[in-house]
Amino acid sequence: MSRALIIVDVQNDFCEGGALPVEGGAALAAEISEYVDAHHGQFDHVVATQDWHIEPGAHFSEQPDFVDSWPPHCVAGTRGAELHPDLDTEYIQAYFRKGQFTAAYSGFEGLLAPDDAVPTGDRAPGSLPIGGAAGAAASSDFAAGEDAIGLDDWLQSHDVEEVVVVGIATDHCVKATALDAVQAGYSVTVLRGLTVGIAEDLDDAFAEMEFGGVDIA
């Protein structure tokens, strides 16, 4: 049995100074890095998800309701869509990008990014990904490809049966990813201390996850 850590959406736009900041996001990036550095030997695989919006329709709004619509964020190929510079990518094996043309909260809606479009570890903080602002066009190619690999496909191909989920935001993409992982048949744990959420009170989000079969640690 293989075990995987899923790092959800620790991106610049979801951290302080970004387009849709979650309080504590920047600190969380560093905390996850410390955790992975200390515990990577407990995982066979480490993957990360990213919002990667090209034309997500009504998901973007100039007058968002912050339930079904949001200010523009994590636009493909921009600095806001990049992983936060305090998130160490050394142990991350694969990146799954979601929401190109529609709203997407769960990492299980993401598609595997091509190798030449992900951080290599020698990139200066704040620099654009390979391809720069042209990244959006490249993203549409892999998003539409018949051979696109989803997160569930990738985990199954690596014999993963147990996943641990951390990241941003507890009450949105972390919750959606964890619940979808349960539905896909994985044993799922969310590390409460390695998530941050939008709501001030996250008890309901954790209760919903527990009711859905997620272990909260």
Side-chain angles (χ1 to χ4, degrees):
M1 179 182 75
S2 292
R3 189 170 187 246
L5 177 69
I6 302 175
I7 302 171
V8 176
D9 297 4
V10 182
Q11 297 169 262
N12 286 323
D13 268 351
F14 294 140
C15 298
E16 290 83 350
L20 194 58
V22 179
E23 184 177 355
L28 180 68
E31 290 165 5
I32 291 175
S33 293
E34 292 175 5
Y35 175 83
V36 174
D37 187 55
H39 298 92
H40 64 89
Q42 299 176 12
F43 297 96
D44 300 286
H45 307 287
V46 180
V47 302
T49 71
Q50 293 171 273
D51 263 13
W52 197 254
H53 297 306
I54 299 173
E55 291 290 346
H59 186 60
F60 281 0
S61 174
E62 297 301 323
Q63 296 180 314
D65 60 17
F66 295 94
V67 176
D68 297 310
S69 60
W70 307 85
H73 61 276
C74 297
V75 174
T78 68
R79 183 182 182 280
E82 287 185 44
L83 298 174
H84 191 277
D86 288 342
L87 180 67
D88 187 349
T89 61
E90 177 181 0
Y91 297 104
I92 298 175
Q93 297 169 257
Y95 300 80
F96 295 87
R97 292 173 171 172
K98 56 191 173 67
Q100 286 89 344
F101 300 104
T102 187
Y105 296 93
S106 169
F108 284 83
E109 298 175 82
L111 299 173
L112 181 66
D115 289 341
D116 62 354
V118 299
T120 60
D122 55 4
R123 188 166 49 95
S127 64
L128 284 172
I130 293 172
S139 297
S140 63
D141 292 337
F142 89 83
E146 293 181 2
D147 297 328
I149 298 171
L151 177 56
D152 187 35
D153 298 324
W154 193 94
L155 293 173
Q156 287 191 43
S157 71
H158 289 79
D159 299 318
V160 173
E161 295 183 16
E162 179 182 356
V163 299
V164 175
V165 183
V166 300
I168 305 173
T170 313
D171 41 346
H172 290 277
C173 295
V174 169
K175 180 179 73 174
T177 300
L179 291 174
D180 273 1
V182 172
Q183 289 299 310
Y186 299 95
S187 173
V188 185
T189 301
V190 167
L191 300 183
R192 184 175 187 139
L194 288 179
T195 72
V196 291
I198 295 174
E200 291 185 14
D201 185 351
L202 296 170
D203 286 348
D204 286 349
F206 285 116
E208 184 178 346
M209 285 188 270
E210 286 188 303
F211 183 76
V214 176
D215 291 328
I216 306 298

